Amino acid sequence: MKKNINPIFVTEPSLAPLKEYVKLLEGVWERKILTHNGPLVQELESQLANKLNVKSFVAVSNGTIAIQMAIKALELKGEIITTPFTWIATISAIKWEGCTPIFADINPETLNIDPDLIEDQITDKTVAIMPVHVFGNPCEVEKISEIAKKYNLKVIYDAAHAIGSKYKNESLLHFGDISATSLHATKLLNTGEGGGCITKNKNLSEKLKRIRFFGHNDDKDIVEDGFNGKMTEIHAALGLVNLKNYEDVLNDRKSKYQHYLSNLSELPKLSFQKYNDLGEPNYSYFPLIFDSEDKLLNVESTLTNSGFFPRRYFYPSVNKYNKILKKVHCPISESIAKRILCLPLYKNLSIEKIDEIINLIVKSYY
Ligand code: T4K
């Protein structure tokens, strides 16, 4: 097999035609409004709320800030139970808001927090649960909501991966007190950097808008302890043009996901993320779970030697970052984190390239 002249990375941003973006930027140049809740940010929020069928979408500067704003809006101080199988941003956002992350281990099949392990971690300091819809796979939202009700806890979903995912036909972003999503370059829908907070509660949504704008109300009085979480017009313009291709990107990922799956499912001792029966994921990542780390390293080096660069999301399990976190053991997450590899998956990736990846994996297996 020839080495790729152009390396193939785990993902590539889906970008609308440049001409369409430039057209929107011309308006920005004319208006000279670059930020502070400009018309394009408002338009993006309204289009996103319609497209995703959510009550409101508060656009912010990135997904990490969205999580911090959710914690701030709910005025949480104490312990937040979360998953060890996530990106470090989940944890850093909790810590930046002066709260303490407490880990409940994951289900080895769904890769999401195991609801049956949450109650063991509840103490009198617990204020909230922060599950992550890992790789867009819906968490067990109903069980989590029951636990939260029983112990009077808030639920914030780290929905960074979850734009386009559904649960019982409703947008997954509608669950919990607040969901925080990401519009980063590597996500299904991107504004370059960006994110959003979603809630069904109108008062909370208004509060989030004030928090993102230094705590100002409409009369420019300071009524909240806010900060700067604003999205710019330049980012919103990118979101608006990319949003036009959103369904196309979603369907493309789904068909490529299925192509990978049908060609790899016969390989021995290889498993795949188990999707929630009541949900519909957005197929935003294609993770492979090996039976040993050695097998993973072998497949990874075969692929990289041929110019394909899969990624070890998430490695290591975040509870292992002991320079910033107290040592705790999360055996399931630690084991999965060592054995999971995400394959390239994005709109411009051709089926021929995917077949090359599949062939390399199959060869390195026998
Ligand atoms: N919660 C969870 C569960 C998350 O996964 C994340 C972020 C967050 C919260 C926080 O959301 P944000 O604050 O980021 O909005 C990426 C992203 O930086 C990060 O957004 C994402 N999760 C995380 C899982 O992955 P890397 O380390 O993969 O970035 P990088 O630069 O290695 O990019 C991967 C590949 O994508 C590259 O090999 C090439 C391609 N790429 C990347 C960028 C940035 C492009 O083609 N163009 C680009 O502009 O972090």
Side-chain angles (χ1 to χ4, degrees), residues 68-134:
Q68 286 184 239
M69 285 178 49
I71 298 173
K72 212 175 257 308
L74 294 167
E75 300 177 13
L76 302 176
K77 285 284 168 251
E79 294 179 351
I80 298 183
I81 297 173
T82 188
T83 170
F85 191 66
T86 185
W87 187 246
I88 191 61
T90 315
I91 309 309
S92 45
I94 292 174
K95 290 187 71 190
W96 269 69
E97 290 309 311
C99 294
T100 308
I102 301 291
F103 295 112
D105 213 339
I106 58 167
N107 175 308
E109 294 185 326
T110 65
L111 311 180
N112 287 332
I113 196 167
D114 184 341
D116 294 335
L117 301 179
I118 291 177
E119 285 192 73
D120 290 348
Q121 301 301 330
I122 296 176
T123 69
D124 55 0
K125 296 194 191 105
T126 310
V127 288
I129 309 170
M130 189 182 292
V132 177
H133 302 297
V134 174

Side-chain angles (χ1 to χ4, degrees), residues 9-13 62-65 67 86-87 89-90 132 158 160-161 181-187 193-195 285 309 311 313-314:
F9 296 111
V10 66
T11 194
E12 182 184 291
N62 62 63
T64 311
I65 286 286
I67 302 172
T86 185
W87 187 246
T90 315
V132 177
D158 177 338
H161 302 180
T181 194
S182 170
L183 297 168
H184 182 261
T186 54
K187 300 298 187 294
E193 288 279 356
Y285 293 81
F309 296 88
R311 276 294 287 269
Y313 297 129
F314 302 110

